[in-house]
Amino acid sequence: MASHGYDLSNCDREPIHKLGSIQGFGALIALNADWIVAHRSANLAAILQRPAVPAVGGRLGEHFAPAAMKLLRQAAGQLDEDQGIAEAGGGAVTDLVSRLFGVDLLGNGVLFDIALHRSGRLLIVELEPAEGGGELQYPGGLRPLMQRLGRHRDITDLCAEAARQMKVLLGFDRVMVYRFHQDGSGEVIAEAREQRLEPFLNLRYPHTDIPAQARALYLRSLLRIIADVNATPVPIEPEHAIDGGAVDLSLSTLRAVSPIHIEYLKNMGVTASLSISIVVGGKLWGLFACHHYAPRTLPYSLRTTAELFAQLFALQLELAIASGGSRMAERGRQLHDRLMTRLVGGTALVENLSTLDGVIGQVIPHDGSSAFVDGAYSCRGAAPTEAEFLAMVPALNAASSSQIIHSDALATMLPPAAAFTDRACGALVIPVSRRPRDYVVFWRRELPQVVTWAGRPEKVMEYGPNGPRLSPRRSFEAWKQSVEGHSAPWTPEELTVAEHVRVTLLEVILRMSDEQMQERARAAEQQELLIAELNHRVRNILTLIRGLVSQSRSEGTSIEQFADLVGGRIRALALAHDNITREHWSPASLHELIETEAEAYLGGKTDRITVTGPDVLVAPEAYTVLALVLHEMMTNSAKYGSLCDSAGRLAIDTRLDNVGDLQIGWRESGGPPVRPPQRRGFGSTIIERSIPYELRGAAELRHRLSGVEADFTIPGRFVQPGPSRPDMPPKDEPRLQERKGADGASPIDHVLVVEDSMIIAMDAEEALFGLGIPTVSVVSSVAGAKALLDNDRPDLALLDFNLGAESSEPIARALDEMGVPYWFVTGYGDAIAQLGETAARGILQKPYSTADLAGILEQMRGG
C-alpha cells in the first residue's frame, strides 16, 4: 500500500482541465468561428427541455431565437474587443468571461443564465436554467456585508468576519478562509460552521491536497463549484476534435471534477463545495472554501455575487496588509533613529553588540547575536563560535551583497551550521557591506513545534487511469506531528524591520570604517575625492552652459543676437567664477560683482548707477546665482528701463537685516515709462525663480510706471560682513538683448527631477517635455522631494546625488520602499557606487543629453 520514493508530482500532472465532461446542472456548447457547433454536452436536450437541439456540425442560429443570438454575438464581440484593448495596452489578458442573466434562448419564455469565454479557437457557451427571474441580485445585499468588514483592521478578525458573512450569503454548512503558505501547504485561519460540525480551524493541509495545476486554475478562474459529488459526469460530444485535442475547460463553470478530488471530498463526507479565490497583489493568497453535506446548486447570479464579495474582500485584505506594513515601516524608522543615536563615538560594531541587542530585541526577538566586521568576530548569547561562523562565510559571501538571508532551519541551507544546532537553529543574516563582506546575525534556538495536520499528510500510492498516482487521504482526524531542528520562523514583519536595520547598520559601518582608516589610505581617498570634485565641477559647468544655450535658443532673432545673448550670460558666470576662485573658492565681494557687471555693460559712464550700503562677502554657491540675476536685471534695464536713455538712473542698496539675511534693493528712475512684459522669457525666470529655488531666499519684481523695482533676500548662511568700500559710482549703458518663450511637449508619464541647480533642472525638465513626458516635477531638496512623494507617486526619478549640504540618499530609500525606479545624476562618476547600497538602476553622469534621457525612458518602457 504505502510506498517510499514515489513522485509527488503525479497529482500535479493530472489533466484536470481536460477531463472531457461537465457537471450536469448545466449544458455546454463549443462553437467555431462560423458559429457552427464543434462540441456539445450530452445533456443539452435535457437542459433545454426540447428534443431538437443543435447537433455537432449544425448552426446554432437555426435553434436559438434571433433575439438570443443577437445577445450572444454582442457578448462574444465584447470579449474580443476587451481582449484587443488588453493586447494594445501591452497586456496578455486571455481569461475573460462574459455573463448574461435571464436570456430567453428559445423564444418560449424559459430563461437561462449564460457564460461565454474563449478557449483557443473555440467560443464556449455554458447555460443553466435561471432562478429568481434571471436578475443579478447583489447591489443591495453586498453593502451591509462590506460595512461589517470595514470595521476590522486586524487580518485575523477581518478573515473571521468574512467567513461569517460568506456563510450568511450562501447558506453553506461550513465556510473557511484557507491561506496558502510559501511551501504550497495551507491552513484554515478562519471558519464559520454549523454547531454540529467538528472544527477545522487552525488545521494544516499539505501542498499535495491542492496540487500546483489546481492552484494555477484558481488564479485564472476565481470560482469553482461542485454541486454533487455523487452525480455522474456528463460527457462532451465528441470528446476529441479532429486534431485529437480535448476541449480546454480551464475557465468553465461546469467543468467536471477530478476523480481524485471527488474521492477526497467523499472521504471528508462533503457532498457539495464551492471555492472562491482570494487574490492579493496578483498572487493567490488563499481561498474561501465552502462545504455542504447535501447536494447544493447555487443560482448563477448568487455565485456571481459571492465572487464579487470575494474580490471586494481581497481589496480590504490588501489594505489591511499594507496598513500593517506601514506600521512596521514606521517601527523600522524609529529603530533607525534609536540605533543612530546610540551607536556613536567611533566604537567598533563588534564591541557594540550589547547595545544592538537591547535596541533590536524589542522588535525582533532573538536568543543570540554575532558581528563579523573587518575580519573581527564577536558574539553574545546563543551563537556559534568564531571557527564555526568562519566555516559558513564562503557560502554567505556567494549570496547577493544586499540580500538578507533568513531561515528557521539554517543547517538545511548551510550544512556547516549543523555543528551548532544545539545552540542556534534559526538565523537572520544581515550583510552590512560589500567588500569585504561584513555581517550582523541574529540567532534563535530550536523551538520544538507541533503541527496539527488535517489527517496524516502522506498519501498512498495507487494505480489509476493516468498511471501511478497518489490517492487522497482517507482520514481527516487531526494528526499532530513533532518538528525538530527548527526555530520560530521569521515573520514578514520582522524581515521588513530587518531591512531597515540593514540600511542603518550600513551607515554605521561606513562611518566607523571611515574613522579607522590609516593615514595613507585616507590621503589616497582624499586625492581621489579631489579629482572627482574637479571632474564634478567641470561637468556641472558644462551642463550649466549647455542649459543656458538651450534655454536661450528662442530669444535671439538672428545668429548675432543669439550669440550676444548667450555670450552675455556665460560671461556673467565667468566673471563671477573668476571672483570666487581668485580667493581659492572663498566668499567674494557683492559690490565687486555689481561693479564688474556694470562696468561690462556701461563702460566709463559713472554717473548713472549708485550702490549704497555695506559690502558683504557671498558664498560661492550663492555667488553664481546672484551673478546671473544681476546680469539679467542690468540687461533689461539697458534695453527697456532707466539705463536705455541718457536721463535714467539706477540705485542699488545693500543691507543686512536683524536676522543676518542680505537685503538687496533695486530702484530704477528717470527712464521711459515702464510697461509690464507681454510674455515671460527665460531672463524673467532667472530673476524671479533663481534665488527662491536654489538659495531658499526671496525675489520680488515690480513693474511700476516710474521704473522697475526689485527686492531680493539672500539667506544669512550665504553671507558674511565684508570689507568697507566707498559707494560705487554710476556706470554705463548695456547692449540690448531679447528672448522668446519655449513651448513644451505633449505628456505621457510622470518623472521626478531632484536637482539643486535651477538651470540644470530646467534643462532636464524641457528635455523630458520634448521626449513626450506629460508631468515633470522639479524639486531641489530632500524635504521638497519627500513632500511630493507623500502625495504623489512618480513613474521614474532622476536624483542629483549632491544637494548642497545634503545628499539624495534619503530620497532613494523612500523610492526603494515605494518601488519607484530611479537613476542617480552626478559629476562624480562611478565613485557613487561606494556610498551605499540602493536599488538605483544606474548612474547618469553630468553633463547629460536628451539622448541619455531618451535611453533611460526606452529602457524603462522595454523593461
Side-chain angles (χ1 to χ4, degrees):
M1 297 285 297
S3 64
H4 299 284
Y6 48 73
D7 184 2
L8 289 178
S9 66
N10 284 322
C11 286
D12 290 338
R13 292 197 296 266
E14 186 184 12
I16 60 176
H17 60 304
K18 294 183 178 181
L19 296 177
S21 57
I22 64 170
Q23 299 180 67
F25 61 86
L28 179 144
I29 303 172
L31 305 169
N32 63 22
D34 297 321
W35 290 74
I36 293 176
V37 177
H39 303 269
R40 68 176 190 178
S41 60
N43 66 341
L44 182 59
I47 294 296
L48 292 175
Q49 299 179 19
R50 64 185 300 173
V53 295
V56 173
R59 293 187 176 276
L60 189 66
E62 296 175 358
H63 296 269
F64 285 1
M69 288 299 299
K70 181 179 179 180
L71 287 175
L72 293 176
R73 292 183 185 275
Q74 287 176 343
Q78 188 64 48
L79 278 176
D80 296 336
E81 182 178 341
D82 291 344
Q83 176 63 29
I85 292 174
E87 292 175 350
V93 178
T94 57
D95 299 344
L96 303 175
V97 179
S98 181
R99 299 172 184 178
L100 302 172
F101 299 94
V103 179
D104 185 357
L105 283 178
L106 304 176
N108 59 1
V110 179
L111 302 182
F112 293 87
D113 294 335
I114 299 173
L116 299 90
H117 68 270
R118 294 286 182 186
S119 178
R121 297 182 178 180
L122 297 175
L123 175 66
I124 305 296
V125 180
E126 298 180 277
L127 50 102
E128 304 173 31
E131 298 184 23
E135 298 178 354
L136 193 56
Q137 302 172 351
Y138 62 79
L142 280 184
R143 185 181 299 274
L145 301 185
M146 295 310 300
Q147 288 176 341
R148 292 186 181 94
L149 289 183
R151 300 169 186 167
H152 301 282
R153 294 293 180 266
D154 179 77
I155 293 176
T156 301
D157 295 340
L158 180 65
C159 292
E161 183 65 37
R164 287 192 293 269
Q165 298 307 321
M166 186 68 85
K167 187 177 187 304
V168 171
L169 178 66
L170 300 180
F172 272 77
D173 293 332
R174 186 196 306 271
V175 174
M176 299 167 284
V177 176
Y178 180 92
R179 181 176 184 176
F180 288 106
H181 292 285
Q182 290 185 349
D183 61 358
S185 66
E187 181 179 359
V188 177
I189 63 171
E191 179 183 45
R193 59 182 173 85
E194 296 295 326
Q195 289 297 319
R196 69 179 187 277
L197 300 176
E198 62 176 323
F200 286 175
L201 185 64
N202 298 325
L203 290 184
R204 291 280 294 269
Y205 294 79
H207 72 278
T208 51
D209 276 18
I210 302 180
Q213 89 278 29
R215 294 194 295 272
L217 283 181
Y218 278 128
L219 193 56
R220 295 186 60 193
S221 182
L222 300 184
L223 187 142
R224 177 72 168 127
I225 185 172
I226 301 173
D228 185 356
V229 298
N230 297 307
T232 302
V234 177
I236 295 175
E237 303 171 342
E239 181 178 355
H240 297 94
I242 294 177
D243 61 4
V247 180
D248 186 339
L249 300 178
S250 296
L251 303 182
S252 170
T253 299
L254 302 174
R255 174 167 50 87
V257 188
S258 158
I260 299 176
H261 191 57
I262 289 291
E263 185 180 349
Y264 181 93
L265 292 176
K266 287 181 177 180
N267 289 344
M268 295 182 72
V270 175
T271 305
S273 73
L274 177 70
S275 301
I276 310 175
S277 305
I278 302 172
V279 179
V280 175
K283 296 182 180 180
L284 186 62
W285 184 90
L287 302 169
F288 282 105
C290 309
H291 289 174
H292 206 64
Y293 296 88
R296 184 167 180 76
T297 303
L298 291 177
Y300 201 0
S301 59
L302 185 55
R303 300 202 302 269
T304 301
T305 301
E307 183 178 349
L308 179 58
F309 174 79
Q311 290 174 310
L312 294 174
F313 163 75
L315 292 175
Q316 195 83 4
L317 177 63
E318 192 165 3
L319 288 175
I321 294 172
S323 177
S326 298
R327 290 193 296 271
M328 292 306 296
E330 178 58 30
R331 294 185 70 181
R333 285 189 287 271
Q334 294 172 357
L335 186 64
H336 170 88
D337 294 340
R338 291 201 297 271
L339 285 175
M340 292 303 293
T341 301
R342 298 191 186 187
L343 298 178
V344 294
T347 306
L349 191 59
V350 292
E351 301 173 15
N352 261 309
L353 272 181
S354 59
T355 300
L356 209 57
D357 273 347
V359 175
I360 295 178
Q362 301 171 18
V363 184
I364 305 178
H366 57 277
D367 301 306
S369 58
S370 298
F372 181 69
V373 179
D374 250 352
Y377 178 78
S378 177
C379 64
R380 276 176 50 87
T385 65
E386 181 174 0
E388 291 168 338
F389 185 84
L390 291 177
M392 297 189 301
V393 167
L396 294 176
N397 288 348
S400 171
S401 61
S402 59
Q403 177 184 354
I404 292 177
I405 301 170
H406 63 91
S407 174
D408 59 355
L410 187 62
T412 62
M413 180 187 296
L414 298 175
F420 52 87
T421 52
D422 59 325
R423 280 157 282 150
C425 286
L428 181 62
V429 184
I430 303 176
V432 291
S433 67
R434 298 188 67 182
R435 296 188 195 90
R437 290 291 176 82
D438 299 323
Y439 300 97
V440 170
V441 187
F442 300 103
W443 307 97
R444 282 181 177 170
R445 296 181 185 273
E446 180 183 19
L447 178 65
Q449 302 175 61
V450 176
V451 178
T452 303
W453 297 92
R456 296 182 65 89
E458 297 90 351
K459 291 185 178 181
V460 178
M461 172 66 90
E462 294 180 352
Y463 284 84
N466 298 309
R469 65 171 173 82
L470 299 177
S471 69
R473 289 176 284 111
R474 302 180 183 277
S475 171
F476 290 87
E477 298 177 357
W479 184 78
K480 296 182 178 180
Q481 178 186 35
S482 295
V483 180
E484 298 179 349
H486 288 255
S487 71
W490 307 95
T491 67
E493 293 76 16
E494 290 170 340
L495 296 178
T496 299
V497 173
E499 179 58 30
H500 286 278
V501 172
R502 185 185 72 84
V503 175
T504 301
L505 294 182
L506 181 63
E507 294 181 23
V508 173
I509 290 291
L510 288 175
R511 183 187 63 189
M512 291 181 176
S513 296
D514 235 16
E515 295 171 353
Q516 296 168 0
M517 285 182 180
Q518 298 179 3
E519 281 301 321
R520 182 177 295 178
R522 184 176 300 156
E525 288 190 2
Q526 182 67 21
Q527 183 180 16
E528 291 178 3
L529 183 62
L530 290 173
I531 294 173
E533 176 68 19
L534 176 61
N535 187 36
H536 170 69
R537 294 194 184 280
V538 171
R539 289 179 184 275
N540 265 352
I541 290 170
L542 293 176
T543 304
L544 184 62
I545 292 175
R546 189 177 63 81
L548 283 175
V549 173
S550 175
Q551 294 293 322
S552 304
R553 67 181 184 276
S554 61
E555 294 194 56
T557 57
S558 67
I559 294 177
E560 291 76 16
Q561 189 179 25
F562 177 77
D564 286 343
L565 181 69
V566 175
R569 288 169 176 164
I570 293 177
R571 177 189 49 76
L573 287 175
L575 292 174
H577 193 268
D578 286 344
N579 287 344
I580 56 181
T581 55
R582 189 182 305 126
E583 300 297 331
H584 306 289
W585 205 254
S586 299
S589 164
L590 172 62
H591 283 195
E592 184 178 350
L593 173 62
I594 297 172
E595 182 179 358
T596 303
E597 186 66 32
E599 181 67 31
Y601 271 90
L602 304 181
K605 301 178 181 179
T606 60
D607 60 345
R608 308 290 300 282
I609 300 177
T610 302
V611 178
T612 59
D615 193 11
V616 295
L617 300 179
V618 180
E621 56 266 38
Y623 203 81
T624 53
V625 175
L626 270 177
L628 275 179
V629 171
L630 292 173
H631 170 78
E632 295 300 327
M633 291 294 293
M634 288 285 186
T635 300
N636 290 342
S637 181
K639 184 173 181 179
Y640 305 111
S642 63
L643 301 180
C644 72
D645 59 18
S646 60
R649 297 181 64 81
L650 169 62
I652 301 175
D653 177 68
T654 63
R655 64 183 178 86
L656 293 174
D657 62 19
N658 54 7
V659 296
D661 292 343
L662 171 63
Q663 304 292 335
I664 303 174
W666 179 287
R667 301 291 184 269
E668 298 184 23
S669 61
V674 174
R675 296 180 181 178
Q678 299 299 311
R679 58 179 178 80
R680 182 182 179 84
F682 180 57
S684 298
T685 301
I686 289 176
I687 294 169
E688 297 178 19
R689 290 182 58 187
S690 293
I691 293 174
Y693 185 96
E694 298 199 38
L695 307 182
R696 311 295 188 273
E700 182 182 358
L701 182 65
R702 298 179 296 277
H703 295 87
R704 300 193 184 282
L705 188 64
S706 58
V708 171
E709 296 181 1
D711 293 291
F712 304 103
T713 300
I714 310 300
R717 65 181 180 275
F718 297 112
V719 297
Q720 62 189 62
S724 299
R725 303 182 64 199
D727 292 345
M728 193 192 93
K731 299 298 178 184
D732 231 11
E733 194 172 0
R735 293 172 293 177
L736 305 182
Q737 298 174 331
E738 295 183 354
R739 169 174 169 79
K740 294 183 179 179
D743 296 326
S746 59
I748 42 177
D749 276 323
H750 181 190
V751 176
L752 168 63
V753 176
V754 182
E755 171 61 64
D756 61 349
S757 168
M758 190 194 74
I759 303 299
I760 299 174
M762 291 179 64
D763 198 38
E765 181 182 44
E766 182 167 345
L768 290 167
F769 282 147
L771 291 170
I773 304 300
T775 305
V776 180
S777 300
V778 179
V779 297
S780 60
S781 65
V782 172
K786 288 188 173 181
L788 184 142
L789 294 177
D790 286 341
N791 300 296
D792 203 357
R793 183 184 187 280
D795 300 312
L796 169 67
L798 301 175
L799 308 181
D800 183 15
F801 190 83
N802 295 287
L803 301 173
E806 57 186 356
S807 79
S808 59
E809 282 187 293
I811 308 173
R813 289 194 293 270
L815 294 171
D816 285 344
E817 293 177 6
M818 296 175 68
V820 175
Y822 57 92
W823 268 255
F824 279 123
V825 180
T826 180
Y828 285 95
D830 292 335
I832 194 174
Q834 305 297 323
L835 296 178
E837 298 280 342
T838 70
R841 294 289 186 90
I843 299 171
L844 187 60
Q845 293 191 0
K846 295 179 181 179
Y848 54 87
S849 65
T850 301
D852 296 327
L853 296 177
I856 288 177
L857 295 176
E858 182 179 359
Q859 179 180 342
M860 284 289 300
R861 290 164 179 157

